[in-house]
Amino acid sequence: MDWGTELWDQFEVLERHTQWGLDLLDRYVKFVKERTEVEQAYAKQLRSLVKKYLPKRPTKDDPESKFSQQQSFVQILQEVNDFAGQRELVAENLSVRVCLELAKYSQEMKQERKMHFQEGRRAQQQLEGGFKQLENSKRKFERDCREAEKAAQTAERLDQDINATKADVEKAKQQAHLRSHMAEESKNEYAAQLQRFNRDQAHFYFSQMPQIFDKLQDMDERRATHLGAGYGLLSEAELQVVPIIAKCLEGMKVAADAVDAKNDSQVLIELHKSGFARPGDVEFEDFSQPMNRAPSDSSLGTPSDGRPELRGPGRSRAKRWPFGKKNKTVVTEDFSHLPPEQQRKRLQQQLEERNRELQKEVDQREALKKMKDVYEKTPQMGDPASLEPRITETLNNIERLKLEVQKYETWLAEAESRVLSNRGDTLGRHARPPDPPASAPPDSSSSSSNSGSQRNKESSEEPPSEEGQDAPIYTEFDEDFEEEPASPIGHCVAIYHFEGSSEGTISMAEGEDLSLMEEDKGDGWTRVRRKQGDEGYVPTSYLRVTLN
């Protein structure tokens, strides 16, 4: 079944239907275009989201990147970013293969449709022109027939009129004969025109218009087939990225399974293990001893010269740190500002980097030497003297890096010995916990046998290594503090001797009584004040602390 046979008289219907088909094609193109905009916006938002949550610091500078949880999260973000790339690929394929191609095809279909309907309208106009000519020849034949009949009646009336002259009769007969001849000619012309119109009309309805309708049918079917293929491209574009999207989803699953809680706990230990020795047990202080002394004996806190020691706020005015303000730390080249274990790790990293740079410079020097030998053997390839500056620079870099390697090796050896010393001190201290003291603090002016034995016991203990305490933990202090009365929060006694060689620390003697100004913040250091008014930090493990 075809349009030319079955719809020979539905010219307007076919015109509306073909226009509807082209409009549908344009609507689908517009739909796909908006779909691509949605995909592009979705991909852009996904990429912005990934960029927002990706770590801002480089991986080597971010300690959090060592945790499996963070690594998995970063991997998931990367998979989401790859997923966004696939959405962009879908949008690109739809834009090129559907929007552009179908839009171009739609324009071609519109031109072809216009051509076919123009051809049909010309055929209609030709047929209508032939029909008008037929009508004109028909009216002329009718008019000539009436004129011929009228002329014949006039001639017959004059012929019977006795008063009419012979000349008038002859004239009337000639006129009737002329009109009759003209009517015969009009009849022949009308018959010829009718025959020609019937032939043209048959050609129009049985050949010309069916061919045009068949062309329109073929055009519309091709458009529908192309549109169906365009529908298929919508799913095909999705199917092309399904394997990669599946890999993205699989990567997210792998990242989720890669979270290792036990390993993260070990990483935390490796990152933040300080290497400091653990503090010893807090010893018992017997405040009942002054009650057993005679009134003439020196009491606790009274100097040997008989003058009472003033511990109140008005005793001295020293610099105080603002409440809640963190002390700045000066970053040193040997990383002595860090705890021993972290110092050792950083020095190890720096040593490895210097060794890599040194090897790189050595390789470059060997390459330059080989190039120089080639230039000397083959002068046309280059001037050997032009390589001398680079060779000299490489040699200087090698010497500099060798010195740095030696320097870091020395620092690393010291740091490792400090870590081992702290570990040994911790094991030795906790293998035999010290007995609680049964005497007053060592600075009492009167002493009993108990206090003497306690001091002998404390002095017999080996003090922790001071190498690990020489690092400038609190090395930078503000100079613009206001002078205001100190407010001790307790007092403490030095268990061991300590040389405060780093900036921000103070020295103390074994058994020295100190005022407690600030408790340990968890870093192994406590701020104290001496009787002379000096104030600074000492190791917490070197003190026996009593809070007010």
Side-chain angles (χ1 to χ4, degrees), residues 385-408:
S386 63
L387 299 176
E388 289 297 334
R390 296 176 60 186
I391 295 176
T392 303
E393 180 184 359
T394 304
L395 291 175
N396 292 335
N397 291 337
I398 291 175
E399 292 300 325
R400 175 179 57 81
L401 290 172
K402 284 182 177 179
L403 293 176
E404 291 185 4
V405 167
Q406 294 176 0
K407 177 175 60 176
Y408 279 106

Side-chain angles (χ1 to χ4, degrees), residues 119-178:
E119 183 180 358
R121 288 190 176 88
R122 282 196 300 269
Q124 284 183 337
Q125 291 174 357
Q126 292 175 358
L127 185 62
E128 290 174 358
F131 184 74
K132 288 180 180 179
Q133 292 178 359
L134 176 62
E135 289 295 319
N136 291 334
S137 61
K138 178 181 177 181
R139 286 192 294 271
K140 182 181 179 183
F141 172 57
E142 182 181 5
R143 184 176 60 255
D144 288 346
C145 286
R146 286 197 299 269
E147 292 293 334
E149 183 178 0
K150 184 179 178 180
Q153 292 176 356
T154 302
E156 183 178 359
R157 187 176 63 251
L158 289 176
D159 185 43
Q160 295 177 0
D161 189 2
I162 58 175
N163 298 321
T165 62
K166 187 178 180 179
D168 292 336
V169 173
E170 287 296 329
K171 184 177 179 179
K173 287 182 178 181
Q174 290 179 357
Q175 186 67 25
H177 180 71
L178 178 62

Side-chain angles (χ1 to χ4, degrees), residues 194-213:
L194 180 61
Q195 185 179 7
R196 185 164 51 250
F197 174 77
N198 288 333
R199 184 179 64 250
D200 292 343
Q201 180 176 255
H203 175 70
F204 176 81
Y205 284 113
F206 290 95
S207 177
Q208 193 172 15
M209 289 309 295
Q211 290 179 2
I212 294 175
F213 287 173

Side-chain angles (χ1 to χ4, degrees), residues 1 28 65 100 121 150 181 187 227 412 431 437 529 536:
M1 299 177 66
Y28 180 67
S65 63
L100 294 180
R121 288 190 176 88
K150 184 179 178 180
H181 181 70
K187 177 182 178 181
L227 182 59
L412 180 60
R529 179 192 295 160

